[in-house]
Amino acid sequence: MIRFVDLFSGIGGLRLAFENATKKSHQNSKCTLSSEIDKKACETYKLNFGEDSYRDIKDCKNIPDFDFLLAGFPCQPFSYAGERKGFGDTRGTLFFEIERILKEKKPKAFLLENVRGLTTHDNGRTFQTIITALESLGYGVSSYMLNSCNYSVPQNRMRVYILGVLAEKPILDIVSEYGPADSHKFKNYNIENSKTVADILETKVDKKYYCTEKFTAQLREVTQGHFKKLHGVRLIDYRGGNSLHSWELGLKGKCSEDEIHFMNTLISNRRLKKFGANQDGKKLTKDQIKTFYKNKNFDQITKSLIEKGYLQITEQGGYNPKCGNMSFEVFKFLDPKSISITLVSSDAHRIGVVGGDGLPRRITPREAARIQGFPDNFILHPADAFAYKQLGNSVSVPVVEFILEKFFEKYSALFKENKKIRNRDNLVLESVI
């Protein structure tokens, strides 16, 4: 029996992957402790695992012995470490709680998951501090940067996974793979057994997930009724490229062709390096704009756009789009032949798709769960708002399962009865399971 703890457990994605992996390796497992402070996530956890996980990790004392630690821990900036004590102190961060528990209980192995930015934060010093702290506890550590789309998950989700084994550096047949830079470039990759958005779409969808009549009408006009033109389109006011903008949709009032042309031209030129380094916040003067915009009706066009609320002018005479990105019901329409953008807790409910019936809508919570690789028998929170948030915060289950399967293929002997291992001080550690 492999005993494990599930820290920062969320809705249980890591646990689900762990239990699946142990079953495939013909081993039994038991969760001896789960810890999560988001009450709504705990509700979903209980629906699926029958356990109340609501407890603060800081209050977890006298923890029963266990063999494996799972944690998808939050990465808080080490705001005081660099200023006060140098970058070598993990106190005051939630990682310290993992460090504390590992030091106290000395489980045989652990798996941590975090965002890609952990490896680059503070020029890599944050990540190195974490690795050094884990190694100082007697663990050999390996890390893998993996993109979910390489593991039959239709999502461009890059995460770092940190695997540790007591007194031995884990060496697995896993190679870090960044995958495509974005969902548009996915089609140029040849990924074996890959899934696309089309593979996870539901056939019958409640009308509440469809775009409102007003928004649908605006989309219909800009696409001339061909909603498939929305595949892969982002709705955003401060970027060009494969995008739709509020002035094209007429969200604040219908715009003329000249007004649309002005705004699109401004968007595509304001990011040029010759106008400054701030790519998304450049306020260009009339003289600067006239270097690339030649319409003689400049004053009339800009006056109308300012009145409608699409454009603003500063006291210094700089023109800038008045962005309203949160006003879009959908901020990104997925391409069924590609993969999803990364699901995040704040925006998962505003990801859209043109479904099988040819109409624009938001993805459903079940589709969001499938984008994360959760099986259909996983029970989602009954309130959509919480379900979307929780799925955006979760892990891609098949990726974690893949890592753990590889781990148990090589290290299952660690969990046999009376298995003795030595730590770095050559002290015998004995575990009777």
Side-chain angles (χ1 to χ4, degrees):
M1 177 72 70
I2 303 176
R3 302 158 299 178
F4 67 95
V5 295
D6 189 13
L7 308 180
F8 309 102
S9 54
I11 61 175
L14 286 171
R15 174 173 179 168
L16 181 61
F18 188 89
E19 291 180 343
N20 289 344
T22 52
K23 287 178 183 177
K24 289 182 179 180
S25 64
H26 307 291
Q27 300 185 81
N28 295 321
S29 63
K30 179 181 179 180
C31 183
T32 60
L33 175 74
S34 53
S35 173
E36 174 59 52
I37 61 172
D38 184 326
K39 291 185 178 181
K40 294 300 180 180
C42 294
E43 291 175 5
T44 303
Y45 195 95
K46 189 171 185 178
L47 286 173
N48 288 279
F49 302 103
E51 299 173 12
D52 183 7
S53 57
Y54 183 66
R55 55 182 58 86
D56 193 325
I57 191 171
K58 296 177 183 178
D59 298 328
C60 292
K61 313 293 182 183
N62 301 317
I63 301 172
D65 291 341
F66 62 92
D67 310 295
F68 203 106
L69 180 145
L70 299 169
F73 69 102
C75 177
Q76 296 175 327
F78 291 4
S79 56
Y80 295 103
E83 296 177 9
R84 295 185 180 180
K85 303 176 182 179
F87 201 92
D89 194 349
T90 63
R91 289 173 291 179
T93 71
L94 287 173
F95 171 75
F96 172 73
E97 300 300 329
I98 296 174
E99 192 178 11
R100 170 181 65 82
I101 293 171
L102 287 173
K103 183 177 182 180
E104 176 187 345
K105 305 304 298 185
K106 280 295 196 310
K108 296 176 180 179
F110 62 79
L111 180 65
L112 313 180
E113 181 266 357
N114 213 288
V115 297
R116 175 182 182 177
L118 175 65
T119 63
T120 57
H121 180 262
D122 197 14
N123 294 318
R125 287 188 287 271
T126 298
F127 188 67
Q128 188 54 53
T129 295
I130 288 173
I131 299 301
T132 300
L134 294 170
E135 290 176 341
S136 69
L137 295 176
Y139 288 91
V141 182
S142 294
S143 63
Y144 309 96
M145 187 74 72
L146 302 177
N147 193 323
S148 296
C149 71
N150 290 303
Y151 302 91
S152 299
V153 177
Q155 182 187 177
N156 186 33
R157 189 182 193 88
M158 188 73 67
R159 291 293 185 267
V160 61
Y161 301 88
I162 306 171
L163 180 66
V165 175
L166 191 60
E168 180 179 355
K169 184 177 178 65
I171 305 296
L172 302 184
D173 184 22
I174 299 177
V175 178
S176 291
E177 176 60 55
Y178 285 76
D182 54 48
S183 57
H184 299 296
K185 296 180 180 178
F186 170 80
K187 296 178 182 179
N188 297 325
Y189 274 72
N190 184 19
I191 301 175
E192 187 177 355
N193 299 320
S194 63
K195 284 188 177 182
T196 64
V197 171
D199 295 319
I200 58 88
L201 296 181
E202 295 191 87
T203 54
K204 295 182 179 180
V205 176
D206 193 297
K207 291 298 181 183
K208 68 180 179 178
Y209 299 109
Y210 282 79
C211 297
T212 62
E213 291 184 9
K214 180 178 179 181
F215 191 54
T216 300
Q218 292 167 335
L219 293 171
R220 179 179 287 109
E221 182 172 352
V222 78
T223 62
Q224 295 81 47
H226 302 292
F227 289 126
K228 290 184 178 180
K229 291 181 179 180
L230 296 172
H231 291 339
V233 171
R234 184 182 291 270
L235 285 77
I236 192 168
D237 275 355
Y238 56 86
R239 295 289 179 92
N242 191 25
S243 304
L244 275 176
H245 310 98
S246 61
W247 49 86
E248 292 172 311
L249 292 168
L251 294 187
K252 301 177 183 178
K254 192 173 179 61
C255 291
S256 67
E257 290 186 8
D258 283 345
E259 290 169 349
I260 292 173
H261 176 64
F262 173 88
M263 292 299 297
N264 288 344
T265 303
L266 177 61
I267 285 293
S268 61
N269 284 274
R270 65 196 285 267
R271 293 164 57 83
L272 296 178
K273 291 183 179 180
K274 67 180 181 179
F275 295 128
N278 188 352
Q279 289 190 338
D280 290 330
K282 298 172 188 173
K283 302 172 180 63
L284 304 186
T285 65
K286 181 177 179 179
D287 288 340
Q288 288 175 317
I289 294 172
K290 281 196 168 185
T291 63
F292 56 80
Y293 183 76
K294 306 300 182 181
N295 194 309
K296 296 179 180 180
N297 296 326
F298 179 94
D299 292 335
Q300 179 183 344
I301 291 171
T302 54
K303 181 175 183 295
S304 176
L305 287 167
I306 291 171
E307 290 175 349
K308 291 173 182 175
Y310 294 110
L311 188 68
Q312 57 187 347
I313 184 170
T314 66
E315 293 181 358
Q316 293 74 30
Y319 290 87
N320 201 40
K322 192 172 183 179
C323 300
N325 296 315
M326 293 304 294
S327 61
F328 297 114
E329 292 180 22
V330 169
F331 79 93
K332 170 77 175 185
F333 279 99
L334 303 180
D335 183 348
K337 295 182 180 180
S338 185
I339 55 177
S340 171
I341 57 174
T342 304
L343 259 64
V344 296
S345 61
S346 60
D347 280 337
H349 66 292
R350 295 199 303 127
I351 295 177
V353 69
V354 177
D357 59 2
L359 296 175
R361 61 173 176 83
R362 296 176 295 122
I363 61 170
T364 67
R366 178 55 62 190
E367 289 168 340
R370 291 173 179 175
I371 288 173
Q372 283 282 47
F374 280 85
D376 283 354
N377 63 358
F378 188 87
I379 305 170
L380 304 179
H381 196 283
D384 285 356
F386 297 121
Y388 284 120
K389 177 182 177 182
Q390 292 164 11
L391 291 165
N393 276 332
S394 190
V395 298
S396 295
V397 177
V399 184
V400 180
E401 192 171 328
F402 171 82
I403 298 170
L404 292 169
E405 283 180 31
K406 289 290 186 181
F407 172 79
F408 285 122
E409 283 176 8
K410 188 170 182 179
Y411 294 98
S412 59
L414 284 176
F415 304 95
K416 301 299 182 182
E417 292 186 2
N418 299 317
K419 174 66 180 178
K420 295 181 180 180
I421 58 177
R422 294 179 179 272
N423 66 10
R424 291 185 174 182
D425 297 322
N426 207 35
L427 298 176
V428 174
L429 303 174
E430 182 171 346
S431 176
V432 180
I433 302 177

